[in-house]
Amino acid sequence: EELMVAEELNKRKSEKGVKIEKERLDRLREEGNAKQVAEEISQLLNESWPYGVGCLVEMRAFDLATEAVIDGRDRKIDQQFWGRAVVSFADALLEVNKATLECMDRKQAEVLLEMLKEQQCYRKAFELETQLAVVDADIARQSLWRLQQMEWY
């Protein structure tokens, strides 16, 4: 019973620490301090790590997010956290510009896909491959619709 109490206390302490870390990352994101967010991320190992990568992605600090993903891979961040961060980062890179019908950075998303495969994160790699296919289908659909609109004029 004492062991269960000790485990529960450790869990609460850990959850409180994660909450504090996320609040700090939020504050830095709101301040627009991407470099400081990246520095904080380099010290994290738990579920705050993918949250921090998400902050960099929201800030459109893609170079720093790429460095964080590579650093996380090298530091052996838990695969679940690492894979989640990579897929959400790639999702942002695959955002389609409605005017040009081009992805923000498809090549970088494909590099992230290869990293997932190298790290044997096959489920996350499949998610990303599916995202790539959906984006391609959406661009094709939009292109066809535009061609049809041009024919009607």
Side-chain angles (χ1 to χ4, degrees):
E1 190 174 306
E2 288 179 28
L3 182 61
M4 288 176 54
V5 171
E7 287 176 0
E8 183 62 28
L9 286 173
N10 282 336
K11 181 179 175 188
R12 286 183 186 169
K13 186 190 273 187
S14 175
E15 288 172 356
K16 186 176 181 181
V18 167
K19 183 178 181 201
I20 291 168
E21 290 167 347
K22 287 181 176 180
E23 288 171 354
R24 178 162 170 71
L25 291 167
D26 282 338
R27 186 177 51 75
L28 292 170
R29 184 191 69 229
E30 289 167 7
E31 292 171 0
N33 195 341
K35 210 170 195 63
Q36 187 64 38
V37 170
E39 288 177 24
E40 291 288 323
I41 292 170
S42 70
Q43 305 303 311
L44 302 175
L45 294 171
N46 58 26
E47 63 192 72
S48 301
W49 184 86
Y51 187 84
V53 174
C55 289
L56 290 174
V57 170
E58 283 181 37
M59 298 170 78
R60 298 292 200 229
F62 294 141
D63 290 345
L64 291 173
T66 299
E67 290 174 19
V69 165
I70 292 168
D71 178 62
R73 179 196 63 197
D74 294 346
R75 289 192 303 130
K76 305 285 190 230
I77 293 291
D78 182 282
Q79 272 196 340
Q80 176 186 351
F81 298 143
W82 186 80
R84 184 182 333 145
V86 171
V87 170
S88 66
F89 178 23
D91 194 30
L93 294 171
L94 292 173
E95 185 178 308
V96 177
N97 179 319
K98 297 298 179 193
T100 64
L101 293 182
E102 293 178 353
C103 294
M104 189 167 301
D105 193 342
R106 182 188 178 93
K107 287 189 187 317
Q108 182 61 29
E110 290 171 347
V111 167
L112 293 173
L113 173 61
E114 292 308 312
M115 288 173 73
L116 286 168
K117 290 177 181 177
E118 288 170 5
Q119 294 301 305
Q120 299 178 353
C121 296
Y122 298 121
R123 175 179 267 164
K124 293 298 182 185
F126 180 71
E127 278 182 50
L128 183 47
E129 285 176 335
T130 302
Q131 287 174 295
L132 285 162
V134 168
V135 165
D136 289 343
D138 188 47
I139 290 171
R141 184 183 57 78
Q142 290 288 332
S143 297
L144 180 59
W145 183 83
R146 287 184 184 180
L147 285 172
Q148 289 171 340
Q149 296 300 310
M150 290 171 59
E151 290 175 6
W152 289 337
Y153 290 110

